[in-house]
């Protein structure tokens, strides 16, 4: 598709993962930017499947959810702590837009 890849790492147990999903659903322009610029791939991390082989090639994850941005060939471009995008009990819209725009193709 010629787009960058956004790997979202988390799981069903991750409260902030659900908050991020709702945040995108509630902010359609942000969701449109993500869909236009990235192929989003969710990677589950759970006691049953830690996906260690997949994640071993990327920097260590300090907390969940975590986002990796890859170029269209799969090379890591950026590792993002989502806590830096938070505001209160949700996310900061301006910071999220800035993040997505910065790493878009």
């Amino acid at each position: 598709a010629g787009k960058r890849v956004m790997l979202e790492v988390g799981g069903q147990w991750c409260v902030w993962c659900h908050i991020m999903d709702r945040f995108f659903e509630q902010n359609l322009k942000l969701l449109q930017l993500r869909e236009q610029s990235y192929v989003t791939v969710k990677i589950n991390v759970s006691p049953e499947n830690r996906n260690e082989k997949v994640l071993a090639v990327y920097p260590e994850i300090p907390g969940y959810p975590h986002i990796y941005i890859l170029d269209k060939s799969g090379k890591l471009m950026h590792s993002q702590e989502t806590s830096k995008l938070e505001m209160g009990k949700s996310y900061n819209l301006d910071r999220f837009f800035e993040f997505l725009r910065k790493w878009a193709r």
Side-chain angles (χ1 to χ4, degrees):
K3 297 179 183 181
R4 301 256 164 99
V5 177
M6 177 185 293
L7 300 180
E8 288 183 22
V9 185
Q12 287 297 322
W13 52 268
C14 173
V15 172
W16 278 96
C17 296
H18 295 289
I19 292 170
M20 187 164 53
D21 287 343
R22 282 192 304 274
F23 187 75
F24 276 106
E25 291 169 7
Q26 294 168 354
N27 294 284
L28 294 181
K29 289 186 180 190
L30 186 68
L31 179 61
Q32 288 172 341
L33 175 60
R34 185 185 74 180
E35 297 303 312
Q36 289 171 356
S37 303
Y38 301 91
V39 173
T40 303
V41 177
K42 292 191 175 202
I43 298 177
N44 180 56
V45 175
S46 66
E48 299 80 26
N49 185 358
R50 300 205 49 82
N51 274 306
E52 291 171 333
K53 287 183 182 179
V54 172
L55 296 173
V57 298
Y58 302 114
E60 187 175 333
I61 296 173
Y64 296 96
H66 192 83
I67 297 174
Y68 295 112
I69 302 295
L70 314 178
D71 69 11
K72 61 184 177 181
S73 69
K75 180 183 173 193
L76 177 67
M77 298 182 67
H78 183 68
S79 176
Q80 180 66 45
E81 290 183 44
T82 57
S83 64
K84 300 197 185 302
L85 303 173
E86 292 174 10
M87 183 175 75
K89 295 187 179 196
S90 188
Y91 290 93
N92 180 289
L93 188 58
D94 291 335
R95 278 185 247 157
F96 232 118
F97 264 116
E98 182 182 335
F99 165 69
L100 291 182
R101 286 182 182 129
K102 180 176 181 177
W103 297 103
R105 59 182 168 108

